[in-house]
Structures are given as C-alpha cells and as structure tokens.
Amino acid sequence: TFFRFACFGGTFVLIDSGVLYLLEYLPGFNAYIARVFSYTAAMSTGYVLNRYFTFHHIDKGRALLDELIRFFSVHALGGVLNFGVFALVVFFGEQADLPRFWNAVIPLIGVWVGGLVGMTFNFLFSSKFVFNER
C-alpha cells in the first residue's frame, strides 16, 4: 500500500511542480502564492488516485463526502507541514548568494523536500483516519 501511495505521490509532485512553475511566472504570483494553488490541484488529484487505486481494497463503509472531508483535513495538515518545509528551503535559498541556476531550482528542491515530509505524514494519517475500516 505504501508503495502505491508513494508512486501516486510522484504524480502529486509532478502536478504540484508543474502548476507551481506555470503560475509563478504569471503576474501577481510568487512562489508562495503559486504553491497554495499548485498544492490544491495536486491534492484533488491525489484523493481520486488514492481512493480508487491505493486504498481500493479497504471496505471503508463511510459516505464519500465524509471520506473527502477526512482526506482534505489530513492532507491540509500535511500541506501545512509540506509548505513550511518548502518555505524554509525557498527562504534560505533566497538568502544565500547562489548562482542563477540554483535560484531557478530552489523552489523545485523545496517541493521535493517538503513533499517527502508531507507524504510521510499524509500516508500515516490517511491510512489511520481516512482510508481505514470503520
């Protein structure tokens, strides 16, 4: 189950990173604002993938809306943790006098490091509170 969760986590990161980089270069967006939107887009996709592929074998016995609220609640907390790590990486990257290449890569590094921390949190709590048997 964790392997499937991690594989879909890779999809989550691709969506998160892609939307982040698309939005970051639009007027009115910076890395922090763009990340809120990119994480939300990735989280929505993650719910569908995890509900129907990762945890499909568990008879949850709860209504879809209840499960969706639980999923978004757990992943919102994981997202806060993820975003905090992301913000630290971006902040310290901006403070460092790095070559131009690294300035462009720092948000991506933040997404990956934050993603690993958030994924671990999300898996533990999703399997315990969202996709568990009643």
Side-chain angles (χ1 to χ4, degrees):
T1 303
F2 181 76
F3 179 74
R4 284 191 304 261
F5 191 87
C7 287
F8 290 130
T11 302
F12 192 102
V13 169
L14 292 174
I15 293 168
D16 193 0
S17 300
V19 173
L20 171 70
Y21 275 90
L22 285 172
L23 292 177
E24 188 178 14
Y25 293 103
L26 293 177
F29 285 93
N30 60 31
Y32 302 101
I33 294 170
R35 184 70 199 285
V36 171
F37 288 98
S38 69
Y39 188 81
T40 303
M43 186 169 39
S44 299
T45 304
Y47 171 74
V48 172
L49 293 173
N50 283 307
R51 183 175 203 287
Y52 294 105
F53 298 106
T54 303
F55 297 102
H56 63 88
H57 61 284
I58 298 173
D59 181 21
K60 296 164 276 297
R62 67 173 54 96
L64 180 63
L65 183 59
D66 180 40
E67 186 177 87
L68 190 61
I69 290 169
R70 287 170 179 257
F71 182 86
F72 274 82
S73 297
V74 165
H75 281 71
L77 290 173
V80 168
L81 185 60
N82 183 329
F83 189 83
V85 172
F86 166 80
L88 284 172
V89 170
V90 171
F91 174 78
F92 286 117
E94 290 172 346
Q95 300 305 308
D97 189 25
L98 298 172
R100 184 176 175 169
F101 168 79
W102 286 107
N103 285 328
V105 174
I106 287 295
L108 183 60
I109 293 170
V111 166
W112 281 90
V113 174
L116 288 173
V117 172
M119 180 183 70
T120 302
F121 175 90
N122 289 339
F123 176 76
L124 293 173
F125 285 87
S126 287
S127 59
K128 192 169 203 94
F129 296 113
V130 180
F131 299 112
N132 60 338
E133 294 179 31
R134 273 184 142 182

